[in-house]
Amino acid sequence: MAENTKTPRQEPDLNQQRKVRREKLAALQEAGRDPFQITKVDVTHHSMEIKNHYEEMEGKTVTVAGRMMFKRVMGKASFCNIRDLQGDIQSYVARDLIGEESYKDFKKYDIGDILAVTGEVFKTKTGEISIHASQVTLLSKSLQVLPEKFHGLTNTDMRYRQRYVDLIMNPESRETFVKRSQILKEIRNFLDGRGFMEVETPMLVANAGGAAARPFETHYNALDEDVKLRISLELYLKRLIVGGLERVYEIGRVFRNEGVDTRHNPEFTLMELYQAYTDYEGMMELTESMFRYLAEKVCGSAVIQYNDTIIDMSKPFARVTMIDAVKEYSGVDFNQVTSDEEAKRLADEHHIEYEARHKKGDIINLFFEEFCEDKMIQPTFVCDHPVEVSPLTKKKPGNPELVERFELYIYGREMCNAYSELNDPIDQRERFAAQEEAIAAGDEEANHTDEDFLNALEIGMPPTGGIGYGIDRLVMLLTDAQAIRDVLLFPTMKSIEK
C-alpha cells in the first residue's frame, strides 16, 4: 500500500467507510446474495461502442459492465456512471422499472463497486447518451475507498505503486497503456510485412554480453551454477543468423543493475532485430520507415507533439557523423587529434571527466554526450562511432578507428542503436580481448569473452545489419509521457519499510 497522505482528522472517517462497506457485504452474504459467487456476465457492448454508434443503438437493449464512478440518488430515480475499458456511460435507474427491492439494493451500492447494467439505449433531455436500466447486478463489492477525484491523484508515488488505482482514476493513464499495446502490435505488423520472424532467447545466461551494463546475478540451484540476467538480446539472435534464420527479432525484458531516473528502469523492454545481407544503411531505412509507420498508425500523423515540441517524422531523418556533431557543438575537430594524450588534454580543457584507461575514441564519445545529445531534437541518425565504444561492430572500410554504427536521437534521447555487425571471428576475439583488459582496469560494464559466440562466428555469419530499440522510450515519445515510469505498468520502486 502507498504511504498514507491523509491527515489524522480524515483517517477515522475512512476507517468508518471501510467498516460500513464490509457490513454491507456481510448483509448481502447472510441474505444469500454474495456478489463474489457470481461467475460471469454476458456483456454485449462497451461504453464508446454505444456512444459512437448511437443511431444504430437507440432503443436497443444492451448489457454493460464496469466500475461505478458516480451516483446521484433522487428519490424514485437515480443516475450513475459506469466506467469500462473504453470509458464512461451514464445509466438512468428508476425504481418503477427495476423493482422496489432492486432499487433499495442499488441505493446501498458504493462508488467503486462493479456492476452490470442491462437496459435500453436512449438520450436524456440534456442530450447525454445513456442506458435506461431494467436490471442492475452487483458483481463485486469494493471494500476500499477510492481516492478523492481531484486531490488523491496528485500522489505520483501512489500512482506507480498502486497502478490498478491509477488505471481506475486516470483515463489518460489507461489510454497510455492501451496505446503501448497498440504500438507493440503495429511493430509486429510492420516487421511481419518485411518477412521477419519473432523468436525467444534465454533470460538466464552464463555470460551477459551485448551491451555495456552491469548485470544482475543469481544462482541456478538445479545446475549449481552462478548465472546472470541478460542485459541484451544480441548474441543469441546473431547465433540464429548463423543458423540460417535470415530475419529475426525479439521483444523482451532485459535487466541492467544501474540507476533509476526519468529515462531508466533496471528492467525494461528491448527489441532487437537482425537481418542478413544488409548493413547499417539498411537499418537506417528500416528504422525511419518503422518510426514513421508507427506514428501514423498510433498517433494519426507522422508529425507529433512531444512536451510542447513538434517532432516531424514525415521528412527524411537528418544524418551526421559523431565527429562532425562534436565539432559543430564543441568546436573540437577530432579528425585532427592524433593521440590519446591529446584527446585527454582537450577533455581537461573542456572539463570532461574521464578515466585513465580511456582512449581517444572514449573521449570522443564523452564529448558527444556532454555537448551534443541534448541538441538532437528532430530525428537524427548519429553515425560512425569510435571503435573503442563499439566492440561488436564492423569497422569502416579505409578508417579502422571508426565503425559502421548509428544511434537515432529524437528530443535529445537515444531511441535505438544499430550496427553493421562484426562477422570476422578473428577481429571479434581481439575486441573481446580489449574488453577483458577494460574489465581488469576496473570497467564493470565491459563484455567478457563468449567462446560459444566466437565458435558460431567461426562457423560463419553472413554480412548482417542489427539494431536495438528501447521500447519504453519509443512509447514515451508516441504517448507524450515525460517519465519512463509513466509507460511501465509496474515500475521498479523502493520497498516501503513496515
Side-chain angles (χ1 to χ4, degrees), residues 375-407:
K375 312 296 192 307
M376 307 289 164
I377 302 302
Q378 295 304 318
T380 304
F381 291 120
V382 178
C383 311
D384 302 348
H385 293 49
V387 67
E388 291 90 344
V389 295
S390 312
L392 298 164
T393 315
K394 189 171 287 191
K395 293 175 183 176
K396 281 189 71 67
N399 190 346
E401 291 186 354
L402 303 177
V403 295
E404 292 191 341
R405 173 183 173 186
F406 74 81
E407 293 171 306

PDB file of all heavy atoms in Angstrom, residues 375-407:
ATOM      1  N   LYS A 375      21.054  18.392 -28.093  1.00  0.00           N
ATOM      2  CA  LYS A 375      20.779  19.255 -29.253  1.00  0.00           C
ATOM      3  C   LYS A 375      20.021  18.504 -30.352  1.00  0.00           C
ATOM      4  O   LYS A 375      19.505  19.118 -31.284  1.00  0.00           O
ATOM      5  CB  LYS A 375      22.087  19.792 -29.853  1.00  0.00           C
ATOM      6  CG  LYS A 375      23.082  20.384 -28.852  1.00  0.00           C
ATOM      7  CD  LYS A 375      22.556  21.607 -28.159  1.00  0.00           C
ATOM      8  CE  LYS A 375      23.644  22.354 -27.397  1.00  0.00           C
ATOM      9  NZ  LYS A 375      24.405  21.526 -26.451  1.00  0.00           N
ATOM     10  N   MET A 376      19.961  17.182 -30.247  1.00  0.00           N
ATOM     11  CA  MET A 376      19.356  16.356 -31.291  1.00  0.00           C
ATOM     12  C   MET A 376      17.850  16.248 -31.046  1.00  0.00           C
ATOM     13  O   MET A 376      17.356  15.252 -30.534  1.00  0.00           O
ATOM     14  CB  MET A 376      20.001  14.966 -31.311  1.00  0.00           C
ATOM     15  CG  MET A 376      21.509  14.980 -31.411  1.00  0.00           C
ATOM     16  SD  MET A 376      22.055  15.510 -33.038  1.00  0.00           S
ATOM     17  CE  MET A 376      23.782  15.887 -32.706  1.00  0.00           C
ATOM     18  N   ILE A 377      17.111  17.300 -31.422  1.00  0.00           N
ATOM     19  CA  ILE A 377      15.680  17.343 -31.142  1.00  0.00           C
ATOM     20  C   ILE A 377      14.879  16.641 -32.244  1.00  0.00           C
ATOM     21  O   ILE A 377      14.114  15.724 -31.982  1.00  0.00           O
ATOM     22  CB  ILE A 377      15.205  18.796 -30.980  1.00  0.00           C
ATOM     23  CG1 ILE A 377      15.982  19.481 -29.845  1.00  0.00           C
ATOM     24  CG2 ILE A 377      13.703  18.835 -30.706  1.00  0.00           C
ATOM     25  CD1 ILE A 377      15.851  18.797 -28.513  1.00  0.00           C
ATOM     26  N   GLN A 378      15.046  17.069 -33.478  1.00  0.00           N
ATOM     27  CA  GLN A 378      14.390  16.392 -34.595  1.00  0.00           C
ATOM     28  C   GLN A 378      15.115  15.073 -34.892  1.00  0.00           C
ATOM     29  O   GLN A 378      16.289  14.917 -34.561  1.00  0.00           O
ATOM     30  CB  GLN A 378      14.374  17.299 -35.822  1.00  0.00           C
ATOM     31  CG  GLN A 378      13.550  18.558 -35.653  1.00  0.00           C
ATOM     32  CD  GLN A 378      12.101  18.286 -35.262  1.00  0.00           C
ATOM     33  OE1 GLN A 378      11.460  17.383 -35.794  1.00  0.00           O
ATOM     34  NE2 GLN A 378      11.582  19.073 -34.310  1.00  0.00           N
ATOM     35  N   PRO A 379      14.425  14.103 -35.496  1.00  0.00           N
ATOM     36  CA  PRO A 379      15.040  12.790 -35.718  1.00  0.00           C
ATOM     37  C   PRO A 379      16.382  12.896 -36.441  1.00  0.00           C
ATOM     38  O   PRO A 379      16.458  13.451 -37.540  1.00  0.00           O
ATOM     39  CB  PRO A 379      13.996  12.059 -36.570  1.00  0.00           C
ATOM     40  CG  PRO A 379      12.701  12.713 -36.218  1.00  0.00           C
ATOM     41  CD  PRO A 379      13.031  14.154 -35.982  1.00  0.00           C
ATOM     42  N   THR A 380      17.418  12.364 -35.809  1.00  0.00           N
ATOM     43  CA  THR A 380      18.779  12.481 -36.345  1.00  0.00           C
ATOM     44  C   THR A 380      19.537  11.184 -36.147  1.00  0.00           C
ATOM     45  O   THR A 380      19.631  10.667 -35.024  1.00  0.00           O
ATOM     46  CB  THR A 380      19.549  13.620 -35.648  1.00  0.00           C
ATOM     47  OG1 THR A 380      18.819  14.846 -35.787  1.00  0.00           O
ATOM     48  CG2 THR A 380      20.942  13.782 -36.241  1.00  0.00           C
ATOM     49  N   PHE A 381      20.090  10.646 -37.232  1.00  0.00           N
ATOM     50  CA  PHE A 381      20.974   9.493 -37.154  1.00  0.00           C
ATOM     51  C   PHE A 381      22.395   9.993 -36.895  1.00  0.00           C
ATOM     52  O   PHE A 381      22.965  10.713 -37.717  1.00  0.00           O
ATOM     53  CB  PHE A 381      20.952   8.691 -38.449  1.00  0.00           C
ATOM     54  CG  PHE A 381      19.658   7.960 -38.711  1.00  0.00           C
ATOM     55  CD1 PHE A 381      18.915   8.232 -39.859  1.00  0.00           C
ATOM     56  CD2 PHE A 381      19.190   7.001 -37.831  1.00  0.00           C
ATOM     57  CE1 PHE A 381      17.732   7.559 -40.114  1.00  0.00           C
ATOM     58  CE2 PHE A 381      17.994   6.311 -38.082  1.00  0.00           C
ATOM     59  CZ  PHE A 381      17.271   6.599 -39.218  1.00  0.00           C
ATOM     60  N   VAL A 382      22.959   9.625 -35.754  1.00  0.00           N
ATOM     61  CA  VAL A 382      24.352   9.952 -35.430  1.00  0.00           C
ATOM     62  C   VAL A 382      25.185   8.734 -35.782  1.00  0.00           C
ATOM     63  O   VAL A 382      25.005   7.653 -35.207  1.00  0.00           O
ATOM     64  CB  VAL A 382      24.511  10.322 -33.953  1.00  0.00           C
ATOM     65  CG1 VAL A 382      25.974  10.610 -33.627  1.00  0.00           C
ATOM     66  CG2 VAL A 382      23.635  11.530 -33.621  1.00  0.00           C
ATOM     67  N   CYS A 383      26.104   8.897 -36.744  1.00  0.00           N
ATOM     68  CA  CYS A 383      26.756   7.750 -37.376  1.00  0.00           C
ATOM     69  C   CYS A 383      28.261   7.698 -37.085  1.00  0.00           C
ATOM     70  O   CYS A 383      28.869   8.688 -36.687  1.00  0.00           O
ATOM     71  CB  CYS A 383      26.563   7.813 -38.901  1.00  0.00           C
ATOM     72  SG  CYS A 383      24.867   8.109 -39.426  1.00  0.00           S
ATOM     73  N   ASP A 384      28.820   6.525 -37.345  1.00  0.00           N
ATOM     74  CA  ASP A 384      30.269   6.310 -37.409  1.00  0.00           C
ATOM     75  C   ASP A 384      30.944   6.579 -36.070  1.00  0.00           C
ATOM     76  O   ASP A 384      31.708   7.537 -35.900  1.00  0.00           O
ATOM     77  CB  ASP A 384      30.886   7.151 -38.528  1.00  0.00           C
ATOM     78  CG  ASP A 384      30.293   6.840 -39.890  1.00  0.00           C
ATOM     79  OD1 ASP A 384      29.569   5.825 -40.001  1.00  0.00           O
ATOM     80  OD2 ASP A 384      30.527   7.605 -40.832  1.00  0.00           O
ATOM     81  N   HIS A 385      30.674   5.702 -35.116  1.00  0.00           N
ATOM     82  CA  HIS A 385      31.210   5.816 -33.764  1.00  0.00           C
ATOM     83  C   HIS A 385      32.656   5.314 -33.689  1.00  0.00           C
ATOM     84  O   HIS A 385      33.096   4.539 -34.536  1.00  0.00           O
ATOM     85  CB  HIS A 385      30.349   4.998 -32.793  1.00  0.00           C
ATOM     86  CG  HIS A 385      28.961   5.524 -32.614  1.00  0.00           C
ATOM     87  ND1 HIS A 385      28.132   5.849 -33.658  1.00  0.00           N
ATOM     88  CD2 HIS A 385      28.251   5.794 -31.478  1.00  0.00           C
ATOM     89  CE1 HIS A 385      26.962   6.274 -33.186  1.00  0.00           C
ATOM     90  NE2 HIS A 385      27.012   6.251 -31.872  1.00  0.00           N
ATOM     91  N   PRO A 386      33.375   5.691 -32.646  1.00  0.00           N
ATOM     92  CA  PRO A 386      34.735   5.161 -32.448  1.00  0.00           C
ATOM     93  C   PRO A 386      34.717   3.669 -32.148  1.00  0.00           C
ATOM     94  O   PRO A 386      33.794   3.164 -31.504  1.00  0.00           O
ATOM     95  CB  PRO A 386      35.244   5.953 -31.235  1.00  0.00           C
ATOM     96  CG  PRO A 386      34.367   7.157 -31.149  1.00  0.00           C
ATOM     97  CD  PRO A 386      33.028   6.728 -31.650  1.00  0.00           C
ATOM     98  N   VAL A 387      35.746   2.981 -32.595  1.00  0.00           N
ATOM     99  CA  VAL A 387      35.817   1.534 -32.412  1.00  0.00           C
ATOM    100  C   VAL A 387      35.907   1.164 -30.934  1.00  0.00           C
ATOM    101  O   VAL A 387      35.423   0.105 -30.518  1.00  0.00           O
ATOM    102  CB  VAL A 387      37.015   0.949 -33.204  1.00  0.00           C
ATOM    103  CG1 VAL A 387      38.349   1.422 -32.623  1.00  0.00           C
ATOM    104  CG2 VAL A 387      36.945  -0.576 -33.254  1.00  0.00           C
ATOM    105  N   GLU A 388      36.488   2.035 -30.105  1.00  0.00           N
ATOM    106  CA  GLU A 388      36.670   1.713 -28.685  1.00  0.00           C
ATOM    107  C   GLU A 388      35.352   1.505 -27.954  1.00  0.00           C
ATOM    108  O   GLU A 388      35.303   0.778 -26.957  1.00  0.00           O
ATOM    109  CB  GLU A 388      37.459   2.824 -27.976  1.00  0.00           C
ATOM    110  CG  GLU A 388      38.919   2.921 -28.381  1.00  0.00           C
ATOM    111  CD  GLU A 388      39.144   3.853 -29.560  1.00  0.00           C
ATOM    112  OE1 GLU A 388      38.157   4.193 -30.263  1.00  0.00           O
ATOM    113  OE2 GLU A 388      40.299   4.246 -29.783  1.00  0.00           O
ATOM    114  N   VAL A 389      34.287   2.150 -28.420  1.00  0.00           N
ATOM    115  CA  VAL A 389      32.991   2.034 -27.733  1.00  0.00           C
ATOM    116  C   VAL A 389      32.030   1.140 -28.502  1.00  0.00           C
ATOM    117  O   VAL A 389      30.833   1.128 -28.214  1.00  0.00           O
ATOM    118  CB  VAL A 389      32.365   3.431 -27.507  1.00  0.00           C
ATOM    119  CG1 VAL A 389      33.216   4.249 -26.549  1.00  0.00           C
ATOM    120  CG2 VAL A 389      32.145   4.173 -28.818  1.00  0.00           C
ATOM    121  N   SER A 390      32.559   0.363 -29.440  1.00  0.00           N
ATOM    122  CA  SER A 390      31.708  -0.465 -30.309  1.00  0.00           C
ATOM    123  C   SER A 390      32.346  -1.836 -30.531  1.00  0.00           C
ATOM    124  O   SER A 390      32.808  -2.153 -31.628  1.00  0.00           O
ATOM    125  CB  SER A 390      31.490   0.250 -31.650  1.00  0.00           C
ATOM    126  OG  SER A 390      31.106   1.596 -31.467  1.00  0.00           O
ATOM    127  N   PRO A 391      32.373  -2.684 -29.493  1.00  0.00           N
ATOM    128  CA  PRO A 391      33.115  -3.945 -29.592  1.00  0.00           C
ATOM    129  C   PRO A 391      32.495  -5.002 -30.491  1.00  0.00           C
ATOM    130  O   PRO A 391      33.139  -6.019 -30.758  1.00  0.00           O
ATOM    131  CB  PRO A 391      33.151  -4.436 -28.137  1.00  0.00           C
ATOM    132  CG  PRO A 391      31.953  -3.819 -27.500  1.00  0.00           C
ATOM    133  CD  PRO A 391      31.805  -2.480 -28.148  1.00  0.00           C
ATOM    134  N   LEU A 392      31.278  -4.815 -30.969  1.00  0.00           N
ATOM    135  CA  LEU A 392      30.609  -5.843 -31.768  1.00  0.00           C
ATOM    136  C   LEU A 392      30.283  -5.350 -33.179  1.00  0.00           C
ATOM    137  O   LEU A 392      29.456  -5.934 -33.862  1.00  0.00           O
ATOM    138  CB  LEU A 392      29.316  -6.293 -31.069  1.00  0.00           C
ATOM    139  CG  LEU A 392      29.504  -6.928 -29.682  1.00  0.00           C
ATOM    140  CD1 LEU A 392      28.189  -6.983 -28.926  1.00  0.00           C
ATOM    141  CD2 LEU A 392      30.099  -8.316 -29.800  1.00  0.00           C
ATOM    142  N   THR A 393      30.979  -4.292 -33.617  1.00  0.00           N
ATOM    143  CA  THR A 393      30.609  -3.602 -34.852  1.00  0.00           C
ATOM    144  C   THR A 393      31.714  -3.675 -35.890  1.00  0.00           C
ATOM    145  O   THR A 393      32.908  -3.628 -35.570  1.00  0.00           O
ATOM    146  CB  THR A 393      30.304  -2.120 -34.549  1.00  0.00           C
ATOM    147  OG1 THR A 393      29.482  -2.041 -33.388  1.00  0.00           O
ATOM    148  CG2 THR A 393      29.607  -1.451 -35.705  1.00  0.00           C
ATOM    149  N   LYS A 394      31.304  -3.744 -37.155  1.00  0.00           N
ATOM    150  CA  LYS A 394      32.255  -3.824 -38.266  1.00  0.00           C
ATOM    151  C   LYS A 394      32.926  -2.463 -38.476  1.00  0.00           C
ATOM    152  O   LYS A 394      32.270  -1.416 -38.453  1.00  0.00           O
ATOM    153  CB  LYS A 394      31.513  -4.265 -39.545  1.00  0.00           C
ATOM    154  CG  LYS A 394      32.423  -4.587 -40.718  1.00  0.00           C
ATOM    155  CD  LYS A 394      31.635  -5.219 -41.866  1.00  0.00           C
ATOM    156  CE  LYS A 394      31.253  -6.647 -41.524  1.00  0.00           C
ATOM    157  NZ  LYS A 394      30.717  -7.364 -42.707  1.00  0.00           N
ATOM    158  N   LYS A 395      34.241  -2.481 -38.706  1.00  0.00           N
ATOM    159  CA  LYS A 395      34.992  -1.245 -38.935  1.00  0.00           C
ATOM    160  C   LYS A 395      34.638  -0.645 -40.298  1.00  0.00           C
ATOM    161  O   LYS A 395      34.269  -1.356 -41.230  1.00  0.00           O
ATOM    162  CB  LYS A 395      36.495  -1.520 -38.871  1.00  0.00           C
ATOM    163  CG  LYS A 395      36.988  -1.921 -37.487  1.00  0.00           C
ATOM    164  CD  LYS A 395      38.467  -2.288 -37.507  1.00  0.00           C
ATOM    165  CE  LYS A 395      38.946  -2.748 -36.140  1.00  0.00           C
ATOM    166  NZ  LYS A 395      40.363  -3.198 -36.167  1.00  0.00           N
ATOM    167  N   LYS A 396      34.780   0.689 -40.380  1.00  0.00           N
ATOM    168  CA  LYS A 396      34.536   1.361 -41.648  1.00  0.00           C
ATOM    169  C   LYS A 396      35.704   1.089 -42.595  1.00  0.00           C
ATOM    170  O   LYS A 396      36.860   1.238 -42.215  1.00  0.00           O
ATOM    171  CB  LYS A 396      34.414   2.883 -41.444  1.00  0.00           C
ATOM    172  CG  LYS A 396      33.062   3.317 -40.907  1.00  0.00           C
ATOM    173  CD  LYS A 396      32.909   4.815 -40.941  1.00  0.00           C
ATOM    174  CE  LYS A 396      32.748   5.356 -42.355  1.00  0.00           C
ATOM    175  NZ  LYS A 396      31.486   4.950 -43.002  1.00  0.00           N
ATOM    176  N   PRO A 397      35.421   0.697 -43.822  1.00  0.00           N
ATOM    177  CA  PRO A 397      36.497   0.490 -44.791  1.00  0.00           C
ATOM    178  C   PRO A 397      37.314   1.767 -44.966  1.00  0.00           C
ATOM    179  O   PRO A 397      36.776   2.851 -45.145  1.00  0.00           O
ATOM    180  CB  PRO A 397      35.748   0.127 -46.080  1.00  0.00           C
ATOM    181  CG  PRO A 397      34.422  -0.402 -45.614  1.00  0.00           C
ATOM    182  CD  PRO A 397      34.097   0.369 -44.385  1.00  0.00           C
ATOM    183  N   GLY A 398      38.624   1.636 -44.842  1.00  0.00           N
ATOM    184  CA  GLY A 398      39.511   2.787 -45.029  1.00  0.00           C
ATOM    185  C   GLY A 398      39.714   3.625 -43.785  1.00  0.00           C
ATOM    186  O   GLY A 398      40.538   4.547 -43.789  1.00  0.00           O
ATOM    187  N   ASN A 399      38.978   3.338 -42.704  1.00  0.00           N
ATOM    188  CA  ASN A 399      39.168   4.100 -41.461  1.00  0.00           C
ATOM    189  C   ASN A 399      38.926   3.176 -40.268  1.00  0.00           C
ATOM    190  O   ASN A 399      37.834   3.131 -39.712  1.00  0.00           O
ATOM    191  CB  ASN A 399      38.224   5.304 -41.406  1.00  0.00           C
ATOM    192  CG  ASN A 399      38.575   6.251 -40.254  1.00  0.00           C
ATOM    193  OD1 ASN A 399      39.339   5.905 -39.364  1.00  0.00           O
ATOM    194  ND2 ASN A 399      38.007   7.437 -40.287  1.00  0.00           N
ATOM    195  N   PRO A 400      39.942   2.422 -39.856  1.00  0.00           N
ATOM    196  CA  PRO A 400      39.770   1.420 -38.803  1.00  0.00           C
ATOM    197  C   PRO A 400      39.520   2.011 -37.418  1.00  0.00           C
ATOM    198  O   PRO A 400      39.218   1.267 -36.480  1.00  0.00           O
ATOM    199  CB  PRO A 400      41.102   0.651 -38.834  1.00  0.00           C
ATOM    200  CG  PRO A 400      42.088   1.627 -39.413  1.00  0.00           C
ATOM    201  CD  PRO A 400      41.313   2.438 -40.401  1.00  0.00           C
ATOM    202  N   GLU A 401      39.635   3.338 -37.259  1.00  0.00           N
ATOM    203  CA  GLU A 401      39.339   3.947 -35.958  1.00  0.00           C
ATOM    204  C   GLU A 401      37.837   4.086 -35.725  1.00  0.00           C
ATOM    205  O   GLU A 401      37.406   4.315 -34.596  1.00  0.00           O
ATOM    206  CB  GLU A 401      39.991   5.336 -35.853  1.00  0.00           C
ATOM    207  CG  GLU A 401      41.509   5.307 -35.776  1.00  0.00           C
ATOM    208  CD  GLU A 401      42.080   6.691 -35.517  1.00  0.00           C
ATOM    209  OE1 GLU A 401      41.298   7.669 -35.515  1.00  0.00           O
ATOM    210  OE2 GLU A 401      43.296   6.788 -35.316  1.00  0.00           O
ATOM    211  N   LEU A 402      37.041   3.969 -36.809  1.00  0.00           N
ATOM    212  CA  LEU A 402      35.598   4.142 -36.718  1.00  0.00           C
ATOM    213  C   LEU A 402      34.874   2.875 -37.137  1.00  0.00           C
ATOM    214  O   LEU A 402      35.450   2.006 -37.804  1.00  0.00           O
ATOM    215  CB  LEU A 402      35.133   5.316 -37.594  1.00  0.00           C
ATOM    216  CG  LEU A 402      35.774   6.675 -37.311  1.00  0.00           C
ATOM    217  CD1 LEU A 402      35.258   7.708 -38.312  1.00  0.00           C
ATOM    218  CD2 LEU A 402      35.501   7.127 -35.883  1.00  0.00           C
ATOM    219  N   VAL A 403      33.596   2.774 -36.759  1.00  0.00           N
ATOM    220  CA  VAL A 403      32.796   1.598 -37.113  1.00  0.00           C
ATOM    221  C   VAL A 403      31.504   2.043 -37.791  1.00  0.00           C
ATOM    222  O   VAL A 403      31.084   3.200 -37.691  1.00  0.00           O
ATOM    223  CB  VAL A 403      32.457   0.761 -35.860  1.00  0.00           C
ATOM    224  CG1 VAL A 403      33.714   0.180 -35.234  1.00  0.00           C
ATOM    225  CG2 VAL A 403      31.670   1.588 -34.848  1.00  0.00           C
ATOM    226  N   GLU A 404      30.875   1.088 -38.483  1.00  0.00           N
ATOM    227  CA  GLU A 404      29.607   1.353 -39.157  1.00  0.00           C
ATOM    228  C   GLU A 404      28.467   1.166 -38.143  1.00  0.00           C
ATOM    229  O   GLU A 404      27.875   0.099 -38.012  1.00  0.00           O
ATOM    230  CB  GLU A 404      29.431   0.424 -40.356  1.00  0.00           C
ATOM    231  CG  GLU A 404      30.427   0.714 -41.476  1.00  0.00           C
ATOM    232  CD  GLU A 404      30.095  -0.007 -42.760  1.00  0.00           C
ATOM    233  OE1 GLU A 404      29.333  -1.003 -42.722  1.00  0.00           O
ATOM    234  OE2 GLU A 404      30.604   0.405 -43.819  1.00  0.00           O
ATOM    235  N   ARG A 405      28.218   2.237 -37.434  1.00  0.00           N
ATOM    236  CA  ARG A 405      27.230   2.215 -36.354  1.00  0.00           C
ATOM    237  C   ARG A 405      26.462   3.531 -36.366  1.00  0.00           C
ATOM    238  O   ARG A 405      26.997   4.566 -36.755  1.00  0.00           O
ATOM    239  CB  ARG A 405      27.940   2.053 -35.006  1.00  0.00           C
ATOM    240  CG  ARG A 405      27.051   2.186 -33.780  1.00  0.00           C
ATOM    241  CD  ARG A 405      27.888   2.091 -32.508  1.00  0.00           C
ATOM    242  NE  ARG A 405      27.089   2.374 -31.310  1.00  0.00           N
ATOM    243  CZ  ARG A 405      27.587   2.481 -30.080  1.00  0.00           C
ATOM    244  NH1 ARG A 405      28.894   2.316 -29.894  1.00  0.00           N
ATOM    245  NH2 ARG A 405      26.803   2.753 -29.066  1.00  0.00           N
ATOM    246  N   PHE A 406      25.196   3.474 -35.954  1.00  0.00           N
ATOM    247  CA  PHE A 406      24.455   4.713 -35.741  1.00  0.00           C
ATOM    248  C   PHE A 406      23.554   4.586 -34.529  1.00  0.00           C
ATOM    249  O   PHE A 406      23.177   3.492 -34.109  1.00  0.00           O
ATOM    250  CB  PHE A 406      23.623   5.107 -36.969  1.00  0.00           C
ATOM    251  CG  PHE A 406      22.386   4.275 -37.198  1.00  0.00           C
ATOM    252  CD1 PHE A 406      21.208   4.506 -36.497  1.00  0.00           C
ATOM    253  CD2 PHE A 406      22.381   3.251 -38.139  1.00  0.00           C
ATOM    254  CE1 PHE A 406      20.069   3.743 -36.703  1.00  0.00           C
ATOM    255  CE2 PHE A 406      21.245   2.482 -38.366  1.00  0.00           C
ATOM    256  CZ  PHE A 406      20.087   2.729 -37.642  1.00  0.00           C
ATOM    257  N   GLU A 407      23.235   5.729 -33.957  1.00  0.00           N
ATOM    258  CA  GLU A 407      22.197   5.847 -32.940  1.00  0.00           C
ATOM    259  C   GLU A 407      21.196   6.887 -33.439  1.00  0.00           C
ATOM    260  O   GLU A 407      21.595   7.909 -33.995  1.00  0.00           O
ATOM    261  CB  GLU A 407      22.776   6.291 -31.595  1.00  0.00           C
ATOM    262  CG  GLU A 407      23.694   5.261 -30.957  1.00  0.00           C
ATOM    263  CD  GLU A 407      24.427   5.824 -29.746  1.00  0.00           C
ATOM    264  OE1 GLU A 407      25.080   6.872 -29.877  1.00  0.00           O
ATOM    265  OE2 GLU A 407      24.341   5.199 -28.678  1.00  0.00           O
TER     266      GLU A 407
END
